[in-house]
Amino acid sequence: MFWQQLVNALWLGSVYALFALGYTLVFGVLDILNLAHGAVFMWGAFFGLLAVTKLNMPIWAALLVAMLGAGILGIVLDRVAFRPLRKRNAPQLAAIISSIGASTILVSLAQGAFGAQVSRFPFDTLPAQVFTAGPVRVTLVQVIVFAVSLVLMAALLLFMRRSRSGKAMRAVAYSGRISSLLGIDVDRIIVTTFFVSSALAGASGVFLGLAFSAISPFMGAPIELKGLAVIILGGLGNVPGAILAGFLLAATEVFGVAYVSSDFRDAIAFTVLILVLLIRPSGILGTAVERRA
Amino acid sequence: MARALLTVDNLQTNYGAIRAVKGISFVVEAGATVTLIGANGAGKSTTLNTISGLLKPAGGTVTFDGVDITGWRADRVTAAGLVQVPEGREVLAPLTVAENLELGAYTRRDKEVAQDMARILDRFPRLAERRDQQAGSLSGGEQQMLAIGRALMARPKLLMLDEPSMGLAPVLVRDVFEIISEIQAQGTTILLVEQNAKKALRAADYAYVLEHGVITQEGTGAALLQDTRIVAAYLGSGH
Ligand SMILES: Nc1ncnc2c1ncn2[C@@H]1O[C@H](COP(=O)(O)OP(=O)(O)OP(=O)(O)O)[C@@H](O)[C@H]1O
Ligand SMILES: [Mg+2]
């Protein structure tokens, strides 16, 4: 029982972490909560689905299409919902409201395009293989989701640490003003940030759609809330923190359901969130002094 | 006379309804060191920030290296070779010392960046010791050296320094001015803003005095050092 739950927590945690990574990245660079991140996640799942069903692509190519599509959607989102406010120095709350509006529109559009019912990847998208080790069983889909999520996270961390654009992104996250004095085109870095963040959301949309075999225009709402919990838990804007917290939230959920009751799935998770924040108000890896205007 | 590298003509900058810089004009010749001195609130930082593109001018023109750069975005001004070390050091605190220096060369695409980095770490051994440490963990003096080193990584044609000696102990102030003279010796043009007027005038070829957003006096550094009014206003005891 324990090992089975641990396996479940690991693959689910990897999807949460991947989703939250992009979420926290946008917060880190722009100081805004992009509440449309879940809607981009949902669209990513549909992009992947369309690539498989309409274009007969193999799943790996569909994943790339989903990431690209979601990434471009993220850039459009910034152009329409955030950039005009940024240019006018609007308060943060305005950006949050704007992102809620954008999210609503994106969900409505999906409803119009795909209907409100649940869609699925075809059963032969991936072999329905199951591995067993004693009492523990894990599907091929879960293994792939976990492994590819880890690879994407590692790629992002490497990008942030080593690449010129990644370093510039961290510079802009700390101070757009200093960055511009260094010759960094802050607007371009913001576009890159939205692209990367949204591409990761798109990938996690495909993964959750595959693993739960369910894609619908409303799939973004629950993970939006969980993602918010994860990035607060990890320390807002903190990339490694979001990864850690993603796994932690999944573990709390999975073990809570297994050992307490499935009725309290989300309640348990959020209780833990509140408890952690009482002890560490700025999140597990958050530091209050890391950032400034 | 050498050619003008930077020409500021009738520059005006407002903060909302407040006019902080009220139509100033001055010239920085290629290879020279020019200083802008003035009391707190005279408009020195506002002037530099307008030239570097952090602030938008309300009027006037800025010409750099023969190009009208008035109102350009800060990153484009830097890319053009006009690099500012802002007041108060402003290092990228969560990034390492090495990353700060690397980002100083963000606009460069040539192959000599690593070489310049080695030279700067050589010049500032304290930074070399702490190259993998977060810049925010450095002392004030070290942060100032990092801010200057980072600006040099851009290979500026003109370096603007805003009160580089501010808040530093006397030994470190000496270090800062020593570095400034080394940068001069390498042929880099400098526009220096200082509250330490005596040291600034000694270092400068030419100086402008800014009062309440207007230039009230100008002359060679040596001439202004002799001027009794300047001495009374800016070089009194404590400097
Ligand atoms: N952000 C701002 N908003 C409104 N007024 C400002 C702002 N920054 C500066 N000022 C005002 O503009 C004037 C010029 O300020 P500035 O910072 O350019 O002076 P300074 O010569 O650099 O002074 P210091 O030696 O103290 O650095 C001052 O009256 C100041 O109060
Ligand atoms: Mg100043």
Side-chain angles (χ1 to χ4, degrees):
Chain A
M1 171 94 152
F2 172 82
W3 293 107
Q4 181 64 54
Q5 301 313 329
L6 188 67
V7 165
N8 292 346
L10 280 177
W11 77 259
L12 186 62
S14 70
V15 179
Y16 285 178
L18 196 60
F19 178 84
L21 216 52
Y23 210 168
T24 212
L25 198 61
V26 165
F27 184 88
V29 172
L30 288 129
D31 278 322
I32 53 169
L33 273 178
N34 172 18
L35 293 179
H37 198 60
V40 172
F41 157 92
M42 173 269 293
W43 270 93
F46 275 111
F47 287 144
L49 181 67
L50 291 178
V52 168
T53 56
K54 303 278 185 241
L55 303 175
N56 292 318
M57 283 185 171
I59 187 64
W60 62 266
L63 177 65
L64 290 182
V65 167
M67 291 178 71
L68 192 69
I72 293 170
L73 184 61
I75 295 176
V76 173
L77 182 71
D78 176 47
R79 279 288 141 120
V80 177
F82 297 120
R83 198 162 183 260
L85 295 173
R86 211 157 51 232
K87 294 289 170 219
R88 287 171 183 73
N89 277 321
Q92 283 187 21
L93 265 181
I96 293 181
I97 301 298
S98 186
S99 74
I100 294 175
S103 174
T104 313
I105 292 167
L106 285 173
V107 171
S108 305
L109 286 177
Q111 239 180 305
F114 313 113
Q117 79 285 2
V118 171
S119 318
R120 291 183 167 75
F121 280 102
F123 286 112
D124 58 355
T125 304
L126 278 167
Q129 203 174 339
V130 178
F131 306 99
T132 49
V136 180
R137 59 186 298 275
V138 50
T139 66
L140 179 66
V141 172
Q142 291 168 343
V143 171
I144 290 177
V145 163
F146 177 69
V148 180
S149 294
L150 284 196
V151 167
L152 287 176
M153 284 187 259
L156 180 82
L157 287 179
L158 220 64
F159 168 77
M160 297 291 286
R161 289 286 135 199
R162 298 257 179 271
S163 77
R164 182 167 172 270
S165 297
K167 285 172 195 169
M169 214 177 258
R170 283 157 58 218
V172 172
Y174 178 68
S175 162
R177 179 188 147 93
I178 302 179
S179 301
S180 67
L181 283 181
L182 299 179
I184 296 170
D185 181 344
V186 173
D187 267 335
R188 231 188 63 201
I189 293 298
I190 290 173
V191 169
T192 311
T193 306
F194 267 98
F195 181 84
V196 170
S197 157
S198 303
L200 295 181
S204 52
V206 170
F207 291 159
L208 219 56
L210 272 175
F212 286 142
S213 195
I215 297 174
S216 90
F218 312 110
M219 69 189 285
I223 197 164
E224 182 72 57
L225 197 58
K226 282 170 194 166
L228 189 58
V230 166
I231 65 177
I232 294 172
L233 199 59
L236 278 168
N238 189 310
V239 168
I243 296 177
L244 199 63
F247 283 104
L248 202 68
L249 184 74
T252 322
E253 260 184 46
V254 168
F255 283 99
V257 169
Y259 293 105
V260 188
S261 156
S262 64
D263 295 340
F264 297 114
R265 183 183 181 115
D266 291 349
I268 297 164
F270 279 88
T271 306
V272 170
L273 170 74
I274 293 165
L275 288 180
V276 172
L277 290 181
L278 284 176
I279 302 163
R280 289 195 59 89
S282 50
I284 315 173
L285 297 185
T287 45
V289 292
E290 252 221 34
R291 22 181 334 95
R292 68 172 180 189
Chain B
M1 272 259 146
R3 89 196 149 92
L5 184 58
L6 177 73
T7 307
V8 173
D9 186 41
N10 192 29
L11 190 71
Q12 299 143 46
T13 308
N14 301 336
Y15 293 108
I18 306 160
R19 172 146 298 187
V21 171
K22 303 166 183 164
I24 64 171
S25 304
F26 64 91
V27 173
V28 180
E29 283 169 1
T33 295
V34 171
T35 185
L36 209 55
I37 59 172
N40 284 340
K44 306 181 296 292
S45 296
T46 305
T47 303
L48 291 200
N49 290 343
T50 310
I51 295 171
S52 69
L54 287 177
L55 296 172
K56 295 281 167 257
T61 58
V62 179
T63 310
F64 177 66
D65 211 7
V67 181
D68 183 349
I69 61 161
T70 315
W72 278 23
R73 263 187 358 227
D75 58 294
R76 294 188 59 206
V77 173
T78 297
L82 206 177
V83 180
Q84 182 185 19
V85 178
E87 189 176 88
R89 324 189 215 296
E90 307 236 28
V91 296
L92 298 163
L95 277 68
T96 67
V97 168
E99 286 169 340
N100 267 270
L101 292 173
E102 280 166 29
L103 284 172
Y106 187 80
T107 55
R108 286 174 55 186
R109 292 292 194 177
D110 59 282
K111 300 253 181 301
E112 290 169 16
V113 172
Q115 200 178 309
D116 284 7
M117 174 100 129
R119 192 175 312 137
I120 282 165
L121 288 176
D122 208 43
R123 175 60 187 80
F124 303 108
R126 305 276 293 171
L127 297 183
E129 284 166 32
R130 289 162 176 69
R131 58 173 296 161
D132 295 320
Q133 239 166 276
Q134 287 195 329
S137 72
L138 302 182
S139 72
E142 289 162 353
Q143 289 191 13
Q144 187 58 264
M145 300 306 172
L146 179 58
I148 295 174
R150 187 179 65 187
L152 291 176
M153 286 295 292
R155 289 205 176 167
K157 291 182 198 154
L158 194 158
L159 183 66
M160 295 198 291
L161 297 157
D162 195 346
E163 304 209 23
S165 75
M166 186 172 68
L168 298 183
V171 206
L172 293 170
V173 173
R174 240 192 0 242
D175 280 355
V176 166
F177 277 94
E178 203 175 297
I179 288 154
I180 291 174
S181 70
E182 286 172 27
I183 299 170
Q184 286 174 318
Q186 284 157 15
T188 305
T189 311
I190 296 175
L191 176 56
L192 172 67
V193 159
E194 259 299 337
Q195 50 180 206
N196 197 326
K198 191 183 269 182
K199 278 202 153 66
L201 289 174
R202 281 203 189 119
D205 302 302
Y206 205 79
Y208 295 88
V209 178
L210 196 60
E211 281 179 58
H212 305 296
V214 287
I215 288 174
T216 53
Q217 276 196 72
E218 61 182 275
T220 62
L224 289 193
L225 272 171
Q226 305 298 322
D227 190 303
T228 48
R229 281 172 304 165
I230 301 289
V231 173
Y234 304 110
L235 308 178
S237 58
H239 282 289

